[in-house]
Amino acid sequence: MDTLQLAAAAQCLDRQLAQQAIQGISDAPGGIYLHTATAHIALIVQRAPLGLWQDPAFHRPGALTTWSTPLNQRLVGFRIQRISVPWADRIVRMDCRRVHISKRVDQISLVAECFGGRGNIALLDAAQRIRWAWRWDSLGGKATPRFLPGVVYVPPEDSLPFDQPLPSAAAWLRRVAPRYRPQHTAEQQAMQEAWLQRADPCAPWWRSSAEADHSVLYPVPLPDWAPMQEIPAQEALRFAPPTAPPASSAQERTLALQRERLQHRIRNMRQDMARWEDPKVYRAQAFALFALPDTMASDTQISAPDHTSATGALLTIALTPGKFLHQQAQWYMQQAQRSQRAQREITSRLHEAEKLLEHLGGGSESHAPSVDGAAAHTSSTSGNPAKKGKPEDATFRQTVIDGFTILWGKNARENDRLTFRTAKAWDLWFHIQDLGGSHVVLRRENSQTPVPESVLAAAARIALQQSQSRAISGEVDWTEIRHVHRKPSGGPGQVTYRHFQSIRVRRDG
């Protein structure tokens, strides 16, 4: 819905729902449902179909999500006073009121910014201060909290008051989606007059019938369109939930994650290759400096003949003032050796990573970890020691439990590399308490990703079984990776950690 469509929907629903009590809130794709005794209203702020809709076929789910539960607690029992679009910027406002037995009156307002990719829902008190707010930042993202306690809500700076008369038809047309705006002045004025003359807010909406592929719902006739067929507002405002894509299996999600990490690793290796000069360039600079008297550099660069070139061209060589030229020539020789070694190793790793990426992209399952939704914990990518240069998780033993990837190392060096090079700061880290053993890492998408208790227990069980403990049960410490640090003067895999929790688990079998 553009602003004009949204305003028409608000006027119609305001008339139908006046003084009705809100009986509950539940989730909608990209927004919320508001339930009254006679209607289920979908308020969608983040994805199509955007706007205000009625859903007569709605079946309320059994439970609310984490983010919608507080809103449900705050709004239930309030009566709807007015539904409006006060600003010409797709912003819906729902004013509600509740009268207590003591005759005390509570005022509260729900404001929804229906902006599509970035939608927001906020709850305001009588003084227009924000008391609760959530937002959607991307089309594929989930609702996240936006804590702005006590801040007075203001609409975007360029929002126009919808009820305020505007000086010209051109300014009024800012409320109309660009694809529906007529081109000629007379048609623009006719469209504005048709809107102002709407006496019944639930009068029929019109649908374009000229082209079936471009049918559109609009609250007034569009002057430069073909003849439009009238349909009741009840039909025009019917909610059509978007068809959800088929859910991918845990194995498909794991393969997609592996491909994404491989692509990221390949990009990094190519960037590393680009940072190194050709070893011949470093050697030429070193030979040029060795041919000069060993004096202390007083400038940041020097020109010297290239002795590796038949033409004897001049080289411009970067220097560090205060160091002798031959000392800097030795540094350039070391850079040549490093460059040659880096190019050789990175080229080998890059070839292996590209080969594995091609293999994964072809749909092969030979590199996919086995999946057992109950309590799998013995899958690994290889029984041999990991070879240097293998991409990301392919060098570690791993399993997938309820969609979560769990990795662990087989020795001290693998533990060190897993914890400090492969894992992300928000991943969870597990280790047997006060004994030696594998570092176990549980992958998360971000720091807000909740992990079920059963998955935490499964990861802790792996840490127990991959430790020096031979007891049937034991205590396992766990924390986020960001709280794990290398032990000062310690060897590979020796760490210190803080802000941890402990869980007691038993071995399988």
Side-chain angles (χ1 to χ4, degrees), residues 85-88 159-168 171-172 175 192 195-196:
V85 178
W87 302 285
S159 297
L160 300 172
F162 198 84
D163 297 330
Q164 176 180 320
L166 298 179
S168 65
W172 184 85
R175 301 162 174 171
Q192 183 178 8
W195 170 262
L196 296 175

Side-chain angles (χ1 to χ4, degrees), residues 7-17 54 198 201-203 205 233-234 237:
Q11 290 177 0
C12 180
L13 294 175
D14 176 61
R15 183 176 185 180
Q16 294 182 9
L17 303 178
Q54 295 184 90
R198 294 174 73 250
C202 287
W205 285 27
Q234 200 73 14
L237 293 177

Side-chain angles (χ1 to χ4, degrees), residues 58-325:
F58 176 82
H59 297 285
R60 188 179 303 187
L64 296 169
T65 60
T66 304
W67 79 267
S68 60
T69 301
L71 183 60
N72 182 72
Q73 295 170 346
R74 287 172 168 84
L75 273 180
V76 168
F78 276 84
R79 293 188 177 274
I80 299 173
Q81 298 297 305
R82 188 186 181 199
I83 303 175
S84 61
V85 178
W87 302 285
D89 200 11
R90 292 189 301 182
I91 302 176
V92 179
R93 181 185 178 104
M94 183 178 296
D95 296 316
C96 303
R97 184 170 179 262
R98 180 175 62 188
V99 180
H100 290 262
I101 298 178
S102 62
K103 305 302 181 182
R104 191 188 80 222
V105 177
D106 292 336
Q107 298 283 349
I108 200 168
S109 299
L110 183 70
V111 173
E113 299 176 341
C114 306
F115 295 161
R118 291 178 177 269
N120 301 280
I121 294 180
L123 202 61
L124 315 181
D125 61 14
Q128 306 305 300
R129 291 188 297 268
I130 296 175
R131 292 304 180 192
W132 176 95
W134 281 73
R135 65 168 181 249
W136 288 259
D137 287 331
S138 63
L139 287 176
K142 299 178 181 179
T144 56
R146 191 174 88 182
F147 297 108
L148 299 171
V151 176
V152 176
Y153 174 81
V154 292
E157 294 181 0
D158 58 350
S159 297
L160 300 172
F162 198 84
D163 297 330
Q164 176 180 320
L166 298 179
S168 65
W172 184 85
L173 284 173
R174 287 184 56 185
R175 301 162 174 171
V176 179
R179 62 184 177 277
Y180 306 146
R181 293 175 187 171
Q183 301 297 320
H184 303 292
T185 304
E187 294 173 342
Q188 295 174 3
Q189 293 175 348
M191 190 173 182
Q192 183 178 8
E193 291 174 2
W195 170 262
L196 296 175
Q197 291 174 3
R198 294 174 73 250
D200 183 1
C202 287
W205 285 27
W206 286 262
R207 177 191 296 157
S208 167
S209 58
E211 299 180 29
D213 294 340
H214 296 84
S215 61
V216 59
L217 299 174
Y218 217 72
V220 294
L222 299 175
D224 55 350
W225 284 59
M228 305 178 77
Q229 174 186 0
E230 294 185 1
I231 62 173
Q234 200 73 14
E235 293 296 323
L237 293 177
R238 184 183 293 270
F239 181 63
T243 56
S248 58
S249 65
Q251 189 169 7
E252 290 172 340
R253 292 194 298 270
T254 301
L255 285 174
L257 184 60
Q258 287 183 352
R259 284 194 292 268
E260 181 182 349
R261 289 171 177 168
L262 275 174
Q263 291 167 352
H264 179 70
R265 183 177 179 83
I266 288 171
R267 286 195 299 268
N268 288 343
M269 286 191 288
R270 287 175 177 164
Q271 292 173 0
D272 290 341
M273 287 280 287
R275 281 195 289 267
W276 286 101
E277 289 276 6
D278 190 324
K280 296 179 181 178
V281 175
Y282 288 122
R283 290 193 185 97
Q285 293 172 328
F287 293 152
L289 290 178
F290 275 128
L292 297 175
D294 190 17
T295 58
M296 184 177 292
S298 59
D299 204 349
T300 57
Q301 63 181 24
I302 191 172
S303 295
D306 182 2
H307 297 283
T308 64
S309 171
T311 61
L314 289 178
L315 292 174
T316 300
I317 306 171
L319 299 175
T320 301
K323 289 188 177 181
F324 287 93
L325 297 183

